[in-house]
Structures are given as structure tokens and as C-alpha cells.
Amino acid sequence: MSDFVKYLPPAAIPEGGAPEWKAADAERWRAARVPAVLGPVAGGWILLPLILCAVVLLAWNTPEDTSVGTEWAGYPAAVLLLALPAWYRFLPGASAVAAPLIALDAVLVLGELAPGDTAGRAGAGLIIGISALALTGALLRLRSRRVQRALILEAAGDARSPLPAALPDSHRTRGRTLLLTGAPLCALAAALLLTALAQDLNAPPGQPYDATGQQVLALLLLVPGTPLFGRGVTAAGAARRLHLGPQPVLRVGVRRSEDTAWILADARTPTAPPLVAFRNRFDDSYSSRPGRILVGGPSERLRAEHHDINPDTEAYEALLYGVPREGAEVVLEYAVNTHDGHIVTRFTAAPLMPFRRHRLRPWPPAGVSYAQQREERAERRRQERSSSSSSSSSGGCGSSDGGSCGSSCGGGCGGD
């Protein structure tokens, strides 16, 4: 069992230094985010019902016609359109490329529709609006990433350090599960489409081939497969970028909240607002291997000089390696008391999440060892139980009984 140390001992600071993330700099970083309505979570959920509505409107009066074979011209745009909410959630770069292509196809469809097809024209117009919304949000998010990176580099100054060696195994295999899930889906969809296209091209004259079923099945595979594969690529890339060279280092605060933890500007300000979240529930995000031994000595002295805290109610200090921004991964190094006369470092490899809502309130600093308080409370409870047991066991034959004899008082009254 280990306890989180409130403040990093001086020995934890790397050779290049680690400045604190000043509150003013952290506020500028937070102000660089896109409006919540264009964020990855809210934006994706907004796009989904709009796209479904547009598809229904386009299909309202569209007759089925297979007299000239399978329709392939609008299929790529259909795939891009239906995958757009998931792409917007995880892949803003891909969304910025897909949105203009979707809009261009909608313009072509709009030109082919009859003037009286009100539903179809409304659907095509809605798709153009959806594309404009997705393109605007994606470009703003990409710009926000660049601005936040510049702000972090400015706040860190010249402080640079390579990553610690004892990192969680999950950091080194980041994105692998997503890649292994998304790649087969995309490969199977590609095989279906290539087979359908070959059969359509080789169909005998006068007997057009209907590949609608294969198209629909491939669509159902591509809509989840492409974002899974793309997210795997970006997650692996985010972890790999941390190893390209020494990373900027800042001293920050960390607070835990159920299954989510939040990075703060510092661990000293009780009212410091949460800035960016990472998952706290995945055990494989934490390294079980100890890092550097920072301080040694008697446990009483370590608790007095470097007190531990309850991380569920108070922030603790950590070193942040990397550039926190949407879609990035960072490494956090913090100190723990191992109860064997040492304070050592531990590590968390944290893919950052786009969450904004939290339930954290300002916290009162304890100022003393949480483990010591816990032990003192346990000792008081033991003494209270012992005292209660002693009182109950001595209450049978006291002098206050007025000489009466209970059946539990030994050998009866009066004697021989």
C-alpha cells in the first residue's frame, strides 16, 4: 500500500527544472478551447440527429432504379456522411477533409433533383449546412491545438526532460486494440466492395448486377471501422510523439473524481479550476514499477516533512511531461510513501479526454498526514471497543448492587 505525497520533494525535480504552471498561464490555455457546442463530444452528438434527418429527407421520394446496374457515384459521400459524427468526435483532421467532399456531393445532388422534390432539396441543403458546421468546428479545434501547444511551450520555458523509464506497459502499446479492431472491419468492407464492383462491371448486357446489399453491409462495417482504425493511429501517434525527444515539464496539481482525474494548474490553490481530464479507472494506465527513490528515513519523519493526503478529497502535486491538448497523451510523475522508509516516484500515462463538466468543489488543505490520521482514528476505535468490553464485563457484582445476588455472581449468597 502506498500513500500519495502532497508536494514533490526537491529530489523529484529533473535536472532541467520544472516551473509551476502559473494560474494566469493555465487560464489562457483554458480560454483557447473551442466553444463547448463545437467540442468533440457535443459536436458529435449534434451532428448525429441532423445527419439522420437529412438521410430521411433525401430518401423520401427517391425511387429504386437498378436498370443500369448499381449506383456507385454517391456511395463514397454516403460513407463519409454517416461516419462524420464519429470522425468529428475523434478525428478532426479527417473531418476537415471529409466535410467539403460531402458538401460538394450535396451540391451535385441538389442540381439533379426536380424543383418539386421539396423533401430531397431540404435534405441536400441540410447536408450542406452540416458540412459547414463540421468544417468550422474541425478547423477551430485544430487551431486550438496549435495555440495550446504554443502556450504550454511558453509556460515551460527551457525546462525539458526525457520521459522516465518505468512507464506503464499500456503506454507502449497505446492504440493497438483499436487498430486490431478497426483494421479487420475496414478490410472486410473493402473486400465486399471490390467483389461487388467486379461483379457489376462483369455483368452480362441487359442483366445489371444489384450490389445494394453488399454496399449496405460494407457501409455498416465502415462507419465503425474507419473511426476505430483512425483513433488507433492517432492514439499510437500521441504516445510515440512523447519519445521523439526531451519533453516540456511543468509542475501541476492532480485531483481524482470517481473514474476521472483532473489536471489543475497547481496543488496549492483550493479554488484552482480543473483544466483537462484523464481516465482514472483503468489500472493499466498506472505503472506498478517504482521509479526513483527520492527520500529515505524513519516513517515518522517522512510523514512530518512530506505529508501524504487523501487524493479523493485534495489535490497532489505531479510533474507533467508533454503538451496537454485535445487528443494528446501526457505522462504524470508523482511521489508516494511506500511505508518502508522511502518516498518514491510513480507514473501515470494519461491519454487526455475532452470532458468539461466536473463535480469537484474547492478543497480544504489537511496540512497533516492522512495515513497518520487514519491510524490514530483506528487506534481510538480500538481503545473505545476495549473500554466498552471492560465496562460490560465488570458490571455483574459491583458494590452498587446493594448486595443482591445474580445468578452470574459465582457461588451464591452467604457462604458456608
Side-chain angles (χ1 to χ4, degrees), residues 77-372:
V79 174
L80 295 178
L81 178 65
L82 293 179
L84 188 60
W87 284 25
Y88 189 88
R89 168 65 176 83
F90 297 108
L91 307 167
S95 299
V97 174
L101 299 178
I102 297 171
L104 177 61
D105 182 78
V107 170
L108 297 177
V109 170
L110 192 61
E112 296 174 356
L113 293 174
D117 189 354
T118 305
R121 298 180 72 84
L126 181 56
I127 289 177
I128 295 173
I130 290 170
S131 302
L133 176 64
L135 179 61
T136 301
L139 293 178
L140 288 177
R141 287 168 59 192
L142 294 174
R143 177 183 177 275
S144 173
R145 293 183 178 189
R146 292 193 298 270
V147 173
Q148 288 182 328
R149 174 179 175 81
L151 291 173
I152 289 296
L153 296 179
E154 179 184 344
D158 296 330
R160 298 287 188 278
S161 179
L163 292 186
L167 294 179
D169 294 335
S170 61
H171 170 74
R172 307 181 189 281
T173 60
R174 189 74 69 202
R176 181 177 298 176
T177 301
L178 295 171
L179 286 170
L180 294 178
T181 304
L185 296 178
C186 295
L188 182 56
L192 283 170
L193 292 175
L194 289 175
T195 301
L197 181 60
Q199 291 174 321
D200 187 27
L201 293 175
N202 295 324
Q207 300 179 11
Y209 182 75
D210 184 6
T212 303
Q214 290 153 296
Q215 286 183 327
V216 172
L217 182 56
L219 181 67
L220 296 177
L221 294 172
L222 288 172
V223 169
T226 51
L228 284 172
F229 182 80
R231 179 57 183 150
V233 171
T234 56
R240 187 169 55 250
R241 279 193 294 271
L242 289 171
H243 297 271
L244 297 179
Q247 294 296 313
V249 185
L250 289 170
R251 275 187 289 171
V252 300
V254 178
R255 281 195 68 184
R256 302 199 307 184
S257 172
E258 298 179 354
D259 61 349
T260 305
W262 293 82
I263 297 174
L264 321 175
D266 60 66
R268 303 177 186 275
T269 308
T271 56
L275 299 172
V276 61
F278 61 92
R279 291 291 192 189
N280 190 48
R281 66 183 179 183
F282 300 131
D283 293 336
D284 62 355
S285 294
Y286 296 87
S287 175
S288 59
R289 297 185 293 272
R292 299 171 288 158
I293 296 178
L294 303 176
V295 185
S299 295
E300 293 76 9
R301 179 172 65 83
L302 294 181
R303 288 179 177 178
E305 296 179 357
H306 307 281
H307 72 273
D308 55 272
I309 63 163
N310 179 1
D312 294 325
T313 60
E314 187 173 349
Y316 60 89
E317 191 175 49
L319 292 176
L320 183 148
Y321 296 84
V323 177
R325 57 178 184 169
E326 181 198 325
E329 180 167 343
V330 298
V331 171
L332 296 166
E333 182 179 16
Y334 48 94
V336 297
N337 189 330
T338 58
H339 296 182
D340 62 356
H342 295 101
I343 291 178
V344 303
T345 57
R346 289 283 193 273
F347 308 98
T348 297
L352 302 181
M353 309 300 295
F355 304 148
R356 300 195 183 191
R357 299 183 63 182
H358 62 86
R359 298 180 180 178
L360 299 178
R361 297 180 179 179
W363 44 269
V368 294
S369 168
Y370 175 70
Q372 185 174 352

